[in-house]
Amino acid sequence: MVSVAEKLVSACPLAVAALLLVARGVCERLGLPAPEVAQILAATQASRSAAYELGQALARLLPTLVRARGRPPKPAPEASSNQSAALTRAVLAYVMRHPGCVHRHDARQRYSDGFRRFVVAQRAEHAALEVEPFAAAIDIPLGTLKQWLREPMTTASSQPPRPPEPSEAASTMVARIETVLAAYARWSGGFVDFCDHVRRDLHLPFGRALVGRILEAHGRRRATRRAGRSPDELALRGAFRTFFPGAQWVGDGMAVPVVVDGQRFTFNVELDVDAHTAALVGGSVRDQEDAAAVVEALHDGVATTGAPPLALLLDNRPSNHTPEVDAALGDTLPIRATPGRGQNKAHVEGGFGLFSQRLPELVLDTRRGAHALAGALLRLVVQVWARTTNHRPRSDRGARSRVELYADQPTAQQIEQARRELRETAERQERARRTLEARRRPEVLALLDQHFARLALLDPQRHLRLAIARYPLDAIVAGLAIFGAKRRAGTLPDGADARYLLGIVRNVADKTEGEHLARGLLELRLEARDRALAPLLAARDAICSAHDVARVCSDCVDRALDTPSPLDRAFWLGALADVLRAQPDSERRALFLAAARRIQATYAVPPRERQDALRVLAQRVFPIA
């Protein structure tokens, strides 16, 4: 080693300086004695900037000299360069023909149904090629490709027909609209990506809302609109019954993502809020929203306030009402949130809203214990946010903070009254549940009990089974089959439970109801049309039986213009057109002009309607093509 050091010092003093600078940082990290930077530069006679630049390059090179732990990675199977090149060219050609079929975001890529089907077809064509080089040739993650090859593909909906071209294309706006419509006709991706494409690539100053209105107005896309506010929302405001601090807490969870070194982790933040003061009393940070999160948030709230509440309101998620939660509650009364009433959890939802507004993007760049570090950071953020919010004065409470409001001590009479009313609320809910269970069909409940046990779905108090049992048996059977198929195929979303099954059953029932509605509407409209046309057909046959063609034409014109009904007017104009088309060419022109003059002479009809009648009649009698 001495001879090596002598050679390095004599041959390359700059490399020695860089090596000593890297070693000095390691010594400081391990608490070992190390020379100063000035001493290193003086001993090696090296330039400071050059030594630091070479030291950074050396620090990047050192980790590559040590083999990673474990077995070496499996060498990728060799693939024929001709096959890979042909496959890559085929995929590139498809992407060029279908812009937007593949779109890469920061976290993931999105593919269209047509692109997935094309890849599956290419896999069948290049079956001799191994899966790994196949995925590398088309630049698709191996896991994604294997999932496509394992699962059946869904058929894509057909493209909507293009509307007719606008008649006035001279203006700039019309030209821009035509550009958007032409681009969307070739687009194979999602709507949000298409809006980005319009602004970035087509250089059109159109926002997302304007693009959506253009596509919807021309029949290219039908927007899915959210349901509006409840008409009785204003009447329900302030209807939540509160008593005093500590009488009732409201708990709920929210998913919070944390990005560490490019890897995304998602944690559940469980929060307990006092209903009377809106104070943030307890919190929990865990990997998922489960019974342990509810218990941990409750214990944190007890440690913060010194006493448990009289009641804890939770939503109807099955994990919120398990034996573990009931044991942790003790004397605290559990109350379920009313389904479909977001006002029940307004306190905790409002707290989460403030949290989301004040929460920065949690992105860390470190390699030390990423998962544990992300969880610790989120716990710190939750604590700081809760404490600052609790001590902020509230203008609607006389400039008193949540901490000051929670310090108010209730009287013994208030405690007893609150306990009595909360107990009555819980008993009323239980009576309603038992009444609902009694009204449900026992054979359907028995079927659900059997399949809930088979699928290991959590529903301790049978609330979800009672909700499912109110739907038709066909929808329930179909929902159970779909849920089981998704579980076997591995396509269920993360955290899917009995509520997901309830959503499937509800969707099947709604779809079945819509199909019955469509058939009923069709039959009723056909019947109504036949009833409306029956007297018109009889009157037409009576008029057209006359031999005087001019008189027949006059009667048809009079009947068409004397009625306010668009259906009757269209019927008589059609009858007049049939009569004129049946005449010889030598007489048809004169009869048409006579009918036109008679139409124009009917001043009781507005000029625009008379012109429309003439236009329709001319198109029917003298078609251009």
Side-chain angles (χ1 to χ4, degrees), residues 314-316 336-345 429 436 463-464 467 470 502 506:
L314 300 168
D315 61 21
N316 292 279
R336 288 176 174 267
T338 304
R341 287 285 303 277
Q343 298 90 339
N344 283 168
K345 299 188 296 179
Q429 291 182 345
L436 184 63
H463 287 283
L464 291 171
R470 71 184 183 90
L502 172 61
R506 179 172 59 248

Side-chain angles (χ1 to χ4, degrees), residues 398-438:
R400 300 179 67 193
S401 67
R402 290 172 168 86
V403 173
E404 294 172 342
L405 291 169
Y406 199 89
D408 293 343
Q409 294 296 325
T411 63
Q413 183 179 1
Q414 290 177 321
I415 295 177
E416 184 59 31
Q417 180 183 358
R419 194 187 305 276
R420 182 174 60 255
E421 293 190 14
L422 290 171
R423 187 180 295 110
E424 290 176 356
T425 300
E427 292 175 353
R428 184 166 58 252
Q429 291 182 345
E430 181 62 22
R431 288 196 301 270
R433 189 193 67 81
R434 289 197 297 266
T435 302
L436 184 63
E437 183 175 1

Side-chain angles (χ1 to χ4, degrees), residues 350-429:
F352 277 140
L354 294 175
F355 178 66
S356 299
Q357 294 173 7
R358 289 166 173 78
L359 181 67
E361 188 178 9
L362 300 179
V363 179
L364 301 178
D365 187 13
T366 179
R367 300 294 177 181
R368 298 180 303 167
H371 185 273
L373 183 60
L377 172 64
L378 184 56
R379 292 186 186 92
L380 178 61
V381 171
V382 171
Q383 290 180 4
V384 173
W385 160 71
R387 292 178 182 177
T388 55
T389 304
N390 281 340
H391 289 84
R392 183 179 298 114
R394 301 187 60 184
S395 59
D396 59 338
R397 296 294 184 94
R400 300 179 67 193
S401 67
R402 290 172 168 86
V403 173
E404 294 172 342
L405 291 169
Y406 199 89
D408 293 343
Q409 294 296 325
T411 63
Q413 183 179 1
Q414 290 177 321
I415 295 177
E416 184 59 31
Q417 180 183 358
R419 194 187 305 276
R420 182 174 60 255
E421 293 190 14
L422 290 171
R423 187 180 295 110
E424 290 176 356
T425 300
E427 292 175 353
R428 184 166 58 252
Q429 291 182 345

